[in-house]
Structures are given as structure tokens and as C-alpha cells.
């Protein structure tokens, strides 16, 4: 029987509403949902490809165990879970709890069940060796918000639909569809901005797809955004364009920062930033003079050498120009299910509460920087990682010096992965536990509700029924957690209550927990029978979601510091200014090129290359090189050339492109599928190379230990 199911896409942060047509439990068509309250009919080729992933014959459908010959053999769930728990407990008994490591990959952020079980699982394991995609993604943004506002998830969202001046730094929303800016159809929104007379300025070492649509492209030198932004703030301070009285009412520590700004005067940083002093000055004055304006920075900035300072400086510029909390500026959401509030209640928010064993790098939101994972596995001593659990991740391709990690994983005593594919990372696992996957699970926006350009609340039903025996991610995690002696809450007394309640037929589910959060939240019905407020039942009756209105001005509600003021002078950020000052004095090696990353519409990090429609056509994993740099290295368009960094030397196909700022080369990440070829037959046809073979695990950002994946020094030469 045919049916149509409306559901949020869980692939990227745009969170588009899709319509799935289903016949006999098979998806036969995927279309945009024109009535979705958030996306209003937007879709991209990846969203349409969700059905191809779901029905991919290479996808794992039952637990598998690796045999001595390296082949994966099916085993039963009970056998698999019992084996995993036995081995993890054994490693813990012999070597202590920290001997078990965990890596949580990107898709967890779209998975409310797994997110809610994270604390329970980590408590049951008792390890501090948790790693995640955060240190390749948002940890700098989280730490900046933690210090500024007292909450890592107090994330300002650009008011893209009303602003008159959008300063977009190190982000390519036309391709990525927005990051920490959940606003489907960025192309349409940025066109609308220009049609209403607004200005789009893109700061990027490459003339990206977004830069091509912009009024102005500023081809910054990689890694120098923090200097550029502090320089712009300096211009506003020096020209007396800052409303000091207002600033001092809402923030503390301005004097300490202001004292540091003269180092960043435009003429002093112009060379290092690669942008003329006159341009920096003009950009600052235009930003402050526009009727409304907002600065927004993402991956290009978070993953460069000064990511935390630059994320902080983005907000500082917004604040100094009076744009934080102002209409058309940087606003905060008011979500129905509020991650800030959830973390405030259950704990877990924070930064720097413990450090990694080998290099002393700090945790952020409970996770240590993944740049130190390989050495934590390789370095003997108490607390050495000997067993690893990975969930929805592929750190061999996504974290720096992936080849080292690949070797380290091969030396583990035991590894278990929860994933739908055998990939470059999970191929090392002794056991792989595959979930029924997204389309067979229900969905609630939790993380991205925090960064939506409009407040909406949605619940999505599963599109298909799981096949007999299949389990949702959260069911796998819960089973593991319980077999390890823990419970879903990760709070001993509460888990005891939940266990007792089960005897009376109560079964914990993540969605029921979120119902509680929803009902007691700002829009909730508070369990009152005739209330107009929200509960899950109401969301279920609204298949296209419920619109809760535009983002509201003001920032006070998101400032959680006890004094209710923004803190501009946290010591780690002032120290980071010192690190940047020291680097400004360094003269770069004229032979060196700086490697940066990019994304493409048909890619999704490291894992959708087994969908034929997404990899067909021209080769995408190519190194973009400016013609002048190519001439110097004596390499021609379309040739293989040798790319060399501190950690790796290997060949890569070159494409000449005047999009690149001279001295900068660009390679997308997430490719390099040769080692997973036996299990991903489509990806095997276009394996590409992994950008993270060249990035350096020993070179990390100073505040959070973020992986530096943009601005990596490399050399290029002809393949002789
Ligand atoms: N199609 C597609 N969409 C995706 C993803 C995907 O893989 N494919 N991944 C999703 C994920 S997980 C994320 S986090 C988001 C990320 O979304 P975005 O933050 O928009 O990231 P990118 O598209 O990589 O764009 C980063 C830009 O920064 C530039 N850049 C590099 N170094 C620097 C620098 O030092 N300074 C400045 N100013 N710019 C620099 C690069 O040239 C690039 O154009 O995208 C999400 N959406
Ligand atoms: N050089 C460079 N490196 C980067 C970046 C960059 O810009 N440049 N970007 C970084 C960023 S922003 C990110 S987010 C990371 C991402 O890197 P990772 O965290 O390693 O995640 P992915 O590459 O997205 O791999 C996701 C894995 O989860 C599996 N999977 C998909 N859906 C599900 C699910 O619902 N359940 C389970 N259990 N498994 C699932 C897929 O099969 C795949 O194996 O890469 C980072 N690496
Ligand atoms: S833009 Fe992102 S959320 Fe929207 S359909 Fe594409 S992958 Fe899915
Ligand atoms: Mo990401």
C-alpha cells in the first residue's frame, strides 16, 4: 500500500522537510515538502538520495564480526552485544576505565535518541577518553560562547532574512546549506538580501560559490581572520564608533580587550591578513554604518589556527557595533526544546574540566580533541586506550593525520563500531552493530533548534518500518548501557527508578523524555488539560511542523553568567590574543602553500560516496591551485602532482583555478576510500585521496586544541 510520510532530513544542518512516498515498506520517491514550516520546499540532491542510502545493498543490516582473515561474518544481536560487553569489561578490569575510548561522529547531532543516551553510556563506561567531531567542527564556537555567555550553546544566529549587511567569514552556505545557521535555501535567502538592497561580503581565501554571489569577496590569508576581526573592532574603537555606555552596561572586560587592540591596527596586520589597510578600515566602517549588519563565521574559521579567538572576535564585532541582539543582527533562538536548558538541568556543559593524558589538551563539552586520539592509543602507561567504541564516525578520514590513526586502530585490543557501513575506520572493528538507520527511526530537532533562523517545532515519524530484528541507534546504545550496569539517564538514583518502573510496564524512550522537556519548556502545556501549549501529541498532529515565529531581539535571556553580563576578558581568550600577536611577527616561508578545505553539494563529509547519483560525473576530489602557483611548481591542469606536508607526501590530481588566492590550495575532505573498497563498491570506483592524510595531529589551536584543518603548510611539485 502506498503512503506519504513527511519527515525532516537528517543529513545536514539545514534540516529540510521532505516528503517520502513509500510502497511495501520501500521508499519509491523523495520530494521537498512545500508546506514544511522551516524549509518551504527546499531540497538538495543529498536529501533525495536518503532513499538510496536506506536501500543501499552495501549497507550493513545485521551485526557482523571480523574473522581472522579480515572478513566480516554475520552474528546475532545477542551474541554481538554479549561479546562487546564482555571485551569492554575485560579491558576495563585489566587496565581501568580510561582504557576504553569513545569517538562520537557527526551524525549523532541529528539523532535525538543517541544524544540523550550519551550521558548514560559514558557514565556506564566511566571513561574520560571521549572524542567527537566537535574538535574538527565547533569546539572553538562552543568555548567562545562558554566564556562570553556562560553557555556553550548560546550561539548567535545571523538574522539573515532581514539584515542589510551580511559579513560571511569562512563559510560557504551556498554549498553547505548553512552551519550553525539552520536556514534552508541559503541561495534564495542571500538573493533576497541583495534584492532588498542589502550587501553580502564574503571573507574566504577562495572565490567560493557564495563569494561568487556576493557584492564583495575579500580573499583573506588562511588563519588570519582573528586578526582581521580584531582590526575591524580596533577601527570602530579608534573612530569612536562604539557606544561605550551601552557596551559597559551589558558586558564586563571591555577595557582589558581594548588595551590589546592597537596591535591590530589595520596597517600593522594588513600583510599578515593579506588585505589592504584601507579595505579593513572601509569594511569596519561599512559594517557599523549599515542600517543593520551581522558578522557570521564558521568552519573556515573554527578549523584554522586561531578558531576560538576568531569566533570570539566575530561576536565582539557584533557587540561593538551594536548588532548583538539587534534586528537584522546576531539573534538568539527561543527553541521549544532547548539544549541550553537541558544541559543546565542535567549538567555536562563546560570546557577545560579535565585534560588528555599525553598532551594535556582540554575537554570541551565532555570531549577531548580528536587530534590526540592516535597518541592516546599508541602511548604506553596508565590510561592508555586499548579498546575503542565508535558511533557514527569515520575519524580515519575526518581527523588530522588519518594515516597515523589508521595504524593505531589496527593495534587496539578490541574495537566496536555502531555504523551502517564498513568504512575506512570501522574496517578495524572486531564487531559492527548496524542501526535500522534514520528513515526507520522517529526524529526530533534538538541541537539545530538552537540555531534555526526561525523558531519551529517538529516531530517526524519513521518513514519505513524496521525490518524484523533491526534496532534503532538508541536501542543499541541502551542495550549496551544496561548490559554495562548503567541506565538511560546516567544518574544512578533515576536509573534505579526507571528500572523499577519497567517492572510495571514503563519503557524509557528518548521521545517520551523530550515530551517532558517540551511540556515543561517555554511553549509547553505544563500538563494542563486545556492548555494551548505544546506537547508531542500536538507535534504529531502537525506533519509539516509548528511555526513559533521569528527570532526575537535581545540577548539577555541567553547570558547565563551569574552577573548576567557578557564576559569579554576570560583569561584563555586574552592568552589567545598573545598567541596571535606572536604569530603575526612570523614571516612565512615563500615556498610554502597553505592547504584549506572545501565541501561540494553532492558530498556529505566522508560517507555518502556509495550512492551512485552522488559520485557520477567529473572527478571531485581535486586540488585547486592558482595558475601562478602551478607554474612555479611546474604542474599542469589535470596532472597528478606530489603534495607534501610535515606528516605525509602523496599524489593528488591538480585543477588550475583562479578562484584560489595565490599561495593557497584547496582539497575537499572525506575522500580516500581505497581501504574500504571491498565493502563500498560504488565509493571504490572514485576513491580519491584523504585531505587529512596531510593535516597534522601535532599542530592544534591554543584554547581548545582544535584540529587545524585550514591553513596547513604544504609544498607542491611535479610527479617526476
Ligand atoms: N554539501 C555538503 N554540505 C555540508 C557538509 C558536507 O560535507 N557537504 N557538511 C556539513 C557539516 S558537518 C558542516 S560542519 C557544515 C560546514 O559548513 P561551512 O562552515 O559553510 O563549511 P565549508 O563549506 O567547508 O566552507 C568553509 C569555507 O571556508 C574557507 N576557508 C578555509 N580556510 C579559511 C580561513 O582561514 N579563513 C576564511 N575566512 N575562510 C577559510 C573555505 O575556502 C570554504 O569556502 O557543512 C554541512 N553541510
Ligand atoms: N580536512 C577537513 N577535515 C574535516 C572537516 C573539514 O572541513 N576539513 N570537517 C570536519 C567536520 S565539520 C565534521 S562534522 C567531521 C565529520 O567526520 P565524522 O565525525 O568522522 O563523521 P562522518 O564523516 O560524517 O561519518 C559519519 C559516519 O556515520 C555513519 N552514519 C550515518 N548515519 C548514521 C546513523 O544514523 N547512525 C549511525 N550509527 N551511523 C551513521 C556513516 O556511515 C559514516 O560512517 O569531519 C571533519 N573533518
Ligand atoms: S540541504 Fe541538507 S537538510 Fe536539506 S535536503 Fe539537502 S542534505 Fe537534507
Ligand atoms: Mo561538521
Amino acid at each position: 500500500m502506498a503512503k506519504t510520510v513527511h519527515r525532516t532530513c537528517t543529513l545536514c544542518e539545514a534540516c529540510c522537510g521532505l516528503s517520502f512516498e513509500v510502497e511495501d515498506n520501500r521508499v519509491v520517491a523523495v520530494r521537498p515538502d512545500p508546506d514544511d514550516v522551516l524549509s518551504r520546499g527546499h531540497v538538495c540532491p543529498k536529501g533525495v538520495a536518503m532513499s538510496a542510502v536506506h536501500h543501499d545493498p552495501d549497507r550493513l543490516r545485521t551485526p557482523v564480526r571480523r574473522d581472522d582473515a579480515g572478513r566480516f561474518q554475520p552474528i546475532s544481536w545477542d551474541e554481538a552485544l554479549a561479546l562487546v560487553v564482555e571485551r569492554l569489561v575485560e579491558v576495563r578490569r585489566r587496565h581501568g576505565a580510561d582504557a576504553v575510548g569513545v569517538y562520537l561522529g557527526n551524525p549523532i547531532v541529528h539523532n535525538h535518541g543517541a544524544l540523550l543516551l550519551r550521558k548514560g553510556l559514558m557514565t556506564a563506561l566511566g571513561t574520560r577518553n571521549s572524542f567527537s567531531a566537535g574538535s574538527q567542527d565547533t569546539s572553538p564556537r562552543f568555548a567562545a560562547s562558554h566564556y562570553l555567555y556562560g553557555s556553550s550553546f548560546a550561539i548567535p544566529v545571523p538574522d539573515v532574512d532581514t539584515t542589510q549587511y551580511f559579513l560571511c567569514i569562512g563559510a560557504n552556505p551556498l554549498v553547505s546549506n548553512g552551519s550553525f545557521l539552520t536556514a534552508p535555501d541559503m541561495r534564495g535567502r542571500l538573493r533576497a538580501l541583495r534584492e532588498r538592497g542589502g550587501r553580502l561580503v564574503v571573507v574566504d581565501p577562495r572565490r567560493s560559490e557564495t563569494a561568487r554571489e556576493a557584492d564583495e569577496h575579500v580573499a583573506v590569508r588562511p588563519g588570519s581572520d582573528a586578526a582581521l576581526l580584531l582590526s575591524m573592532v580596533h577601527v570602530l574603537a579608534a573612530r569612536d564608533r562604539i557606544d561605550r555606555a551601552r557596551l559597559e552596561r551589558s558586558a564586563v572586560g571591555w577595557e582589558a580587550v581594548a588595551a590589546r587592540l592597537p596591535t591590530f591596527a589595520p596597517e600593522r596586520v594588513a600583510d599578515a591578513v593579506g588585505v589592504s589597510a584601507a579595505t579593513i578600515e572601509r569594511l569596519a566602517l561599512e559594517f557599523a554604518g549599515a542600517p543593520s549588519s551581522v558578522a557570521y563565521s564558521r568552519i573556515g574559521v573554527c578549523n584554522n589556527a586561531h578558531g576560538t579567538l576568531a569566533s570570539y572576535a566575530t561576536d565582539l564585532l557584533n557587540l561593538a557595533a551594536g548588532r548583538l541582539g539587534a534586528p537584522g543582527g546576531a539573534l538568539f533562538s527561543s527553541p521549544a526544546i532547548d539544549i541550553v536548558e537541558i544541559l543546565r538541568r542535567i549538567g555536562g556543559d563546560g570546557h577545560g574540566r579535565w585534560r588528555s593524558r599525553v598532551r594535556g589538551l582540554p575537554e570541551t563539552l565532555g570531549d577531548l580533541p580528536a587530534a590526540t586520539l592516535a597518541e592516546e592509543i599508541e602511548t604506553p602507561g596508565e590510561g592508555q586506550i586499548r579498546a575503542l567504541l565508535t558511533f557514527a564516525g569515520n575519524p580515519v578520514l575526518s581527523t588530522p593525520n588519518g594515516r597515523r590513526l589508521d595504524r593505531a586502530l589496527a593495534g587496539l585490543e578490541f574495537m566496536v563500531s555502531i555504523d551502517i557501513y564498513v568504512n575506512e575506520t570501522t574496517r578495524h572493528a572486531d564487531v559492527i552493530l548496524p542501526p535500522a538507520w534514520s528513515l526507520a527511526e522517529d526524529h526530533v530537532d534538538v541541537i539545530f533548534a538552537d540555531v534555526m533562523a526561525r523558531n519551529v517545532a517538529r516531530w517526524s515519524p519513521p518513514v519505513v518500518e524496521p525490518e524484523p530484528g533491526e534496532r534503532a541507534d538508541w536501542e543499541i546504545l541502551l542495550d549496551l548501557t544496561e548490559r554495562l550496569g548503567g541506565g538511560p539517564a546516567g544518574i544512578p538514583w533515576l536509573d534505579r527508578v526507571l528500572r523499577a518502573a519497567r517492572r510495571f510496564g514503563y519503557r524509557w524512550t528518548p521521545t517520551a523524555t523530550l515530551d517532558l522537556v517540551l511540556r515543561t519548556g517555554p511553549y509547553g502545556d505544563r500538563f494542563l488539560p486545556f492548555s494551548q501549549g505544546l506537547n508531542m501529541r500536538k507535534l504529531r498532529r502537525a506533519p509539516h511542523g509548528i511555526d513559533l515565529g521569528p527570532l526575537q531581539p535581545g540577548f539577555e535571556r541567553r547570558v547565563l553568567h551569574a552577573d548576567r553580563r557578557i564576559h569579554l576578558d576570560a583569561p584563555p581568550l586574552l592568552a589567545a590574543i598573545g598567541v596571535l600577536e606572536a604569530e603575526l611577527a612570523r614571516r612565512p616561508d615563500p615556498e610554502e602553500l597553505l592547504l584549506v578545505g572545501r565541501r561540494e553539494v553532492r558530498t556529505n563529509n566522508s560517507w555518502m560516496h556509495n550512492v551512485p547519483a552522488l559520485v557520477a560525473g567529473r572527478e571531485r576530489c581535486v586540488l585547486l591551485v592558482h595558475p601562478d602557483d602551478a607554474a612555479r611548481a611546474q604542474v599542469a591542469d589535470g596532472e597528478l602532482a606530489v603534495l607534501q606536508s610535515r606528516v605525509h607526501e602523496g599524489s593528488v590530481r591538480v585543477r588550475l583555478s583562479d578562484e584560489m588566492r595565490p599561495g593557497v590550495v584547496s582539497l575537499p575532505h572525506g575522500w580516500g576510500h581505497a581501504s574500504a573498497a571491498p565493502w563500498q563498491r560504488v565509493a571504490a570506483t572514485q576513491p580519491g585521496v584523504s585531505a587529512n592524510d596531510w593535516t597534522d595531529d601535532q599542530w592544534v589551536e591554543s584554547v581548545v586544541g582544535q584540529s587545524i584543518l585550514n591553513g596547513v603548510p604544504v609544498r607542491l611539485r611535479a610527479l617526476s
Side-chain angles (χ1 to χ4, degrees), residues 582-603:
E583 204 195 278
L584 287 178
R586 192 182 77 94
R587 287 286 132 235
D589 174 350
E591 291 290 299
E592 107 193 347
L593 299 169
L594 297 178
L595 175 68
V596 301
R598 71 173 185 280
R599 288 172 159 76
E600 308 218 338
V601 172
R602 285 168 189 273
T603 65

Side-chain angles (χ1 to χ4, degrees), residues 114 224 240 414 420 453 559 572 593 620 637 698:
S224 68
D240 218 9
F414 180 73
I420 54 176
V559 179
L593 299 169
R620 293 189 175 85
D637 189 49
Q698 293 300 305

Side-chain angles (χ1 to χ4, degrees), residues 331-619:
L331 299 182
F332 290 98
S333 62
S334 320
I337 291 175
D338 186 357
I339 182 80
V340 171
E341 187 54 23
I342 295 176
L343 286 181
R344 204 179 59 77
R345 282 194 218 169
I346 68 168
D349 193 3
H351 165 68
R353 291 160 295 181
W354 64 90
R355 290 186 170 259
S356 67
R357 175 181 65 108
V358 178
R359 223 188 306 170
L361 298 177
E363 62 76 38
T364 300
L365 279 168
D367 294 326
L368 294 167
T372 188
L373 175 55
E375 67 193 1
E376 290 291 341
I377 296 172
E378 287 170 352
T379 312
E382 209 186 309
Q384 178 184 7
I385 296 176
R386 297 167 191 261
L388 185 70
L389 181 154
T390 72
F391 177 90
N394 194 0
V396 166
L397 295 194
S398 60
T399 68
N401 200 354
R403 286 189 180 231
R404 178 176 181 187
L405 184 62
D406 189 52
R407 287 190 300 272
L409 296 182
L412 283 167
E413 286 180 26
F414 180 73
M415 178 168 158
V416 51
S417 295
I418 301 172
D419 206 293
I420 54 176
Y421 284 109
V422 181
N423 66 25
E424 298 70 19
T425 300
T426 62
R427 76 189 178 99
H428 293 290
D430 296 282
V431 176
I432 308 180
L433 307 170
W437 197 56
S438 186
L439 295 187
E441 303 177 19
D442 73 341
H443 175 76
V444 183
D445 306 308
V446 176
I447 301 266
F448 298 108
D450 188 49
V451 290
M452 281 180 181
R454 196 174 171 89
N455 296 308
V456 309
R458 296 179 297 184
W459 171 83
S460 304
V463 170
V464 290
E465 297 292 322
E467 298 297 331
E470 286 188 338
R471 297 168 181 216
D473 274 306
W474 71 266
E475 291 173 307
I476 301 171
L477 291 173
L478 181 58
D479 200 333
L480 277 179
T481 303
E482 288 181 337
R483 284 172 193 246
L484 286 162
I491 303 168
W493 69 263
L494 186 53
D495 286 327
R496 271 197 302 275
V497 173
L498 290 171
R499 221 168 291 140
R502 204 159 56 184
R503 268 181 254 129
F504 301 99
Y506 175 82
R507 187 165 170 265
W508 181 90
T509 69
T511 306
T513 304
L514 288 184
D515 189 30
L516 207 63
V517 176
L518 182 64
R519 298 181 79 172
T520 53
Y523 306 84
D525 69 358
R526 308 202 172 269
F527 297 94
L528 300 172
F530 299 106
S531 163
Q532 297 295 307
L534 291 183
N535 57 38
M536 266 317 156
R537 222 175 40 228
K538 279 191 188 151
L539 293 192
R540 281 171 203 258
R541 287 203 300 258
H544 312 288
I546 295 176
D547 183 25
L548 302 172
L551 302 193
Q552 295 302 312
F555 51 78
E556 294 73 10
R557 66 184 186 281
R558 269 327 205 199
V559 179
L560 297 196
H561 287 306
D563 61 3
R564 295 278 155 187
R565 291 163 87 192
I566 300 171
H567 292 190
L568 298 174
D569 57 351
L573 292 168
L574 296 182
I577 296 180
V579 175
L580 176 61
E581 284 168 343
E583 204 195 278
L584 287 178
R586 192 182 77 94
R587 287 286 132 235
D589 174 350
E591 291 290 299
E592 107 193 347
L593 299 169
L594 297 178
L595 175 68
V596 301
R598 71 173 185 280
R599 288 172 159 76
E600 308 218 338
V601 172
R602 285 168 189 273
T603 65
N604 193 20
N605 296 325
S606 74
W607 70 278
M608 286 183 78
H609 294 146
N610 209 49
V611 175
L614 297 183
V615 289
R618 71 195 163 96
E619 190 176 355

